[in-house]
Amino acid sequence: MSDTSLGDPADPEPSGAVAVIDRIHSLIDELQTMNLAGCSHDELVDSAAETERAIARMTFAGDRQIVEIADRDLPHKTGHRSITAFMTHRLRVADPMRRTKQRHATATHLSHTGEPLEPEHPALAEALANGHVNTSHVRAVLDVLDQIPHAIDHDIKVAAERQMAEIAIEHTPADITALGARLLAHLDPDGTLADDTDRKRRRNLSVHRQRVDGTAKLTANLTPELLARVTMLLAVWAKPGMNNPDDPDSPHGSIEDADPDAVAAAAERDDRTPAQLNHDAVNALLKAVFEDGLLGKSHRGLPTQLIIKADLNDLRREAGFATTATGTLIPIPELINMVADAQPWLAVFKDATAVPLYFGRGKRLATREQRLVSFARPDGESCSTPGCDLAAAHVEMHHAQLDWAAGGLTDITDLAPACPKHNRMVSNQPGGFTTRMVREGPDEGRCAWRLNAEPGAPPNPEHINRRPDIPRRFTEHLRQVRTEIHGPEESGDTPRLQMREVIDLRNASDAEATFASLLLAAAYPRS
């Protein structure tokens, strides 16, 4: 089970740890196949409890090994950028960030002089080592301890850590959170010890991943300053009757600037909840910010506008999702309603175009047009590095075929989207990435990435980011399944796009007219 590429020539024989792990796997094989029918009720319960305890103890042992791996700098020797990347890709740790936090809290580390350092939370470390708590207990305890104000005296913090470790041994993670809140109230009953340092440390705002229906959750801990601004915004923008997207006669903006009669009439029709009022107020504010250009003219070479791409077939059947440059999915019917507010651009592939896409050695940085065309490509909605999902709005344009310094060209066929982190990891050194553009086959025009290993180590395979392929591959699987069940589909007329609004093009710009032509072509294709 050891990796010969990492072997130490001075120690060719397997170490005791390898032999112990082999014995553990043998015992697990025996436990997994054991007939449990002969166990009494008590024996079965005790066995299950001890198995959970063994899992916790194995986690503690694994953390010790990760500490040793980091001390030997093995992540870099195996071509990984950090211990987190090593844990993710080599050890296949499910949640490396949480595991790292746990390791720092409960494992013994070495100082710069090689002296062992006691764990940050020794009582919690002892409980985990003995298997009396598991990773969920540790996580809940750390969440409580992180909320202790930094102004609390050190001896009180130590006592609190021991108290929380004691609670964790006897209670569930949910109980730990509730009892921890009681302890925090005891430590600072008046709330006077928390200061600006604690508020800044706890401030956050997170946009969670989109759900299947396209919605997403927003969570935040606001500083008093931001809280004051948000509550003032809601006080004047989130009034009944204001900023209602479902009411065309609803006034927009602040209630202070609206016609009172119009507001009163719209309020009579308004059946939104207070939370929905807040949502629509923030949406209206951001819409006004976009329209006023307060975000600036460009971000990473892209205009700070709603940049959306959609498949022509989806437009025809008014189904599916469009993708924004920030990675948000928008249902096609909503896109059609939004199209009047978006600046249209036309992307043409493999044919002549009036937009300059090829610059050779004339320019080093990609132009706005090239970035828009890159986003329009089937795989251009995110970083091209395998496993990376950073949206196109945050990426750079990487000279994927040949670096600019080495004579690479700033041509769209040689450029690929890459987030700043991965773009700077491209090099000829171990731990860096080597990239190339695929010139033929089904992946033509895609960027292939290879992680460089040290000389003498087995080379790593090339990988392509398959995340953009998921919708297409699902459609192919669905078509195949339906063919297997129902037989081949009968050919028929393709449903045409239903134009829901009449768009006045008398004063349209060239770009707007082009986009309208595109919609018409989708609705009425030439035979």
Side-chain angles (χ1 to χ4, degrees):
M1 56 179 289
S2 60
D3 189 338
T4 56
S5 65
L6 302 177
D8 186 350
D11 185 19
E13 295 296 327
S15 67
V18 173
V20 169
I21 294 297
D22 286 339
R23 292 203 301 272
I24 289 175
H25 280 295
S26 297
L27 291 173
I28 292 176
D29 289 339
E30 184 179 350
L31 183 62
Q32 287 179 338
T33 58
M34 183 173 293
N35 184 3
L36 301 176
C39 294
S40 66
H41 295 345
D42 290 342
E43 288 176 338
L44 186 58
V45 171
D46 290 342
S47 296
E50 287 302 312
T51 298
E52 293 301 318
R53 181 183 172 212
I55 292 172
R57 298 191 69 190
M58 286 295 295
T59 301
F60 182 83
D63 286 345
R64 289 187 63 235
Q65 295 165 0
I66 294 175
V67 170
E68 183 71 16
I69 287 171
D71 290 341
R72 297 189 188 187
D73 199 29
L74 292 184
H76 292 103
K77 291 181 180 179
T78 54
H80 297 85
R81 197 72 169 182
S82 64
I83 182 65
T84 302
F86 180 89
M87 292 167 64
T88 300
H89 300 291
R90 192 61 177 265
L91 303 185
R92 300 184 61 78
V93 174
D95 195 338
M97 298 304 294
R98 287 190 180 274
R99 186 71 174 272
T100 297
K101 185 176 181 180
Q102 171 184 296
R103 188 177 76 252
H104 288 322
T106 61
T108 299
H109 294 75
L110 296 179
S111 67
H112 296 298
T113 59
E115 297 294 327
L117 297 174
E118 189 180 50
E120 292 180 7
H121 301 299
L124 189 61
E126 181 180 358
L128 179 62
N130 293 330
H132 295 151
V133 299
N134 60 34
T135 55
S136 295
H137 294 92
V138 172
R139 184 184 311 161
V141 169
L142 294 181
D143 288 343
V144 172
L145 296 178
D146 284 346
Q147 297 180 60
I148 297 178
H150 85 287
I152 293 286
D153 292 336
H154 175 69
D155 57 347
I156 297 179
K157 293 180 181 178
V158 173
E161 187 262 338
R162 293 181 181 178
Q163 173 72 80
M164 291 307 305
E166 180 181 294
I167 290 173
I169 292 174
E170 299 294 337
H171 295 82
T172 67
D175 292 337
I176 293 171
T177 301
L179 295 173
R182 176 67 183 87
L183 177 62
L184 291 172
H186 176 74
L187 297 181
D188 186 14
D190 301 322
T192 57
L193 294 179
D195 58 15
D196 191 53
T197 301
D198 297 302
R199 287 188 287 270
K200 288 182 178 179
R201 175 166 58 91
R202 296 170 186 166
R203 75 188 190 279
N204 60 70
L205 191 151
S206 301
V207 180
H208 299 261
R209 290 183 179 273
Q210 277 189 284
R211 304 184 184 95
V212 176
D213 63 355
T215 62
K217 186 177 182 180
L218 180 74
T219 59
N221 286 309
L222 309 182
T223 60
E225 179 183 1
L226 180 55
L227 178 61
R229 291 194 171 102
V230 170
T231 52
M232 178 54 70
L233 162 69
L234 300 179
V236 296
W237 284 57
K239 293 293 186 181
M242 294 296 301
N243 300 298
N244 190 346
D246 299 323
D247 185 353
D249 297 324
S250 171
H252 291 273
S254 169
I255 193 171
E256 303 297 332
D257 301 324
D259 179 11
D261 294 335
V263 174
E268 289 291 331
R269 304 185 297 268
D270 199 339
D271 59 357
R272 293 174 294 169
T273 65
Q276 290 171 333
L277 289 169
N278 293 343
H279 172 279
D280 295 341
V282 174
N283 184 44
L285 174 67
L286 292 178
K287 184 175 183 292
V289 168
F290 273 89
E291 292 174 348
D292 290 346
L294 296 180
L295 295 182
K297 295 183 178 179
S298 65
H299 170 70
R300 293 194 179 276
L302 287 173
T304 52
Q305 302 168 358
L306 286 178
I307 305 172
I308 308 170
K309 70 174 181 180
D311 186 274
L312 195 58
N313 293 323
D314 291 340
L315 284 173
R316 285 173 175 168
R317 60 191 182 93
E318 290 196 50
F321 286 89
T323 307
T324 72
T326 54
T328 301
L329 299 178
I330 299 178
I332 293 296
E334 292 188 21
L335 171 67
I336 295 173
N337 293 330
M338 293 172 61
V339 78
D341 297 327
Q343 178 167 348
W345 291 74
L346 178 62
V348 181
F349 297 95
K350 289 192 174 182
D351 294 321
T353 173
V355 180
L357 301 180
Y358 296 88
F359 288 93
R361 295 287 293 173
K363 293 177 68 68
R364 178 178 179 275
L365 300 178
T367 64
R368 171 181 294 189
E369 289 78 13
Q370 286 178 314
R371 291 183 63 90
L372 288 168
V373 169
S374 174
F375 170 62
R377 293 190 298 202
D379 62 334
E381 63 193 49
S382 64
C383 172
S384 59
T385 311
C388 185
D389 60 357
L390 192 71
H394 308 296
V395 303
E396 300 171 347
M397 295 307 296
H398 164 53
H399 290 76
Q401 186 64 25
L402 185 64
D403 190 72
W404 168 265
L409 305 179
T410 309
D411 291 344
I412 193 62
T413 51
D414 287 2
L415 298 175
C419 67
K421 169 188 172 183
H422 288 121
N423 198 11
R424 283 155 182 73
M425 290 178 66
V426 176
S427 71
N428 296 323
Q429 302 300 316
F433 282 103
T434 298
T435 62
R436 71 177 182 90
M437 297 298 290
V438 179
R439 298 303 193 192
E440 58 184 4
D443 291 321
E444 180 183 3
R446 310 274 298 262
C447 180
W449 294 70
R450 185 195 300 274
L451 181 65
N452 302 329
E454 286 192 343
N460 294 311
E462 284 187 335
H463 292 287
I464 291 175
N465 193 341
R466 296 297 179 188
R467 183 176 180 272
D469 297 338
I470 293 176
R472 175 183 59 82
R473 288 293 295 151
F474 173 75
T475 301
E476 294 173 357
H477 284 303
L478 182 60
R479 186 182 302 114
Q480 181 179 356
V481 170
R482 286 175 172 172
T483 299
E484 293 172 357
I485 297 175
H486 305 293
E489 294 183 3
E490 297 181 1
S491 59
D493 295 334
T494 303
R496 291 184 174 180
L497 180 68
Q498 301 297 317
M499 303 299 289
R500 296 183 175 180
E501 297 183 24
V502 176
I503 304 175
D504 188 355
L505 297 176
R506 287 174 293 182
N507 299 316
S509 65
D510 292 341
E512 291 170 336
T514 300
F515 189 74
S517 299
L518 213 90
L519 287 177
L520 290 172
Y524 303 100
R526 295 180 180 178
S527 56

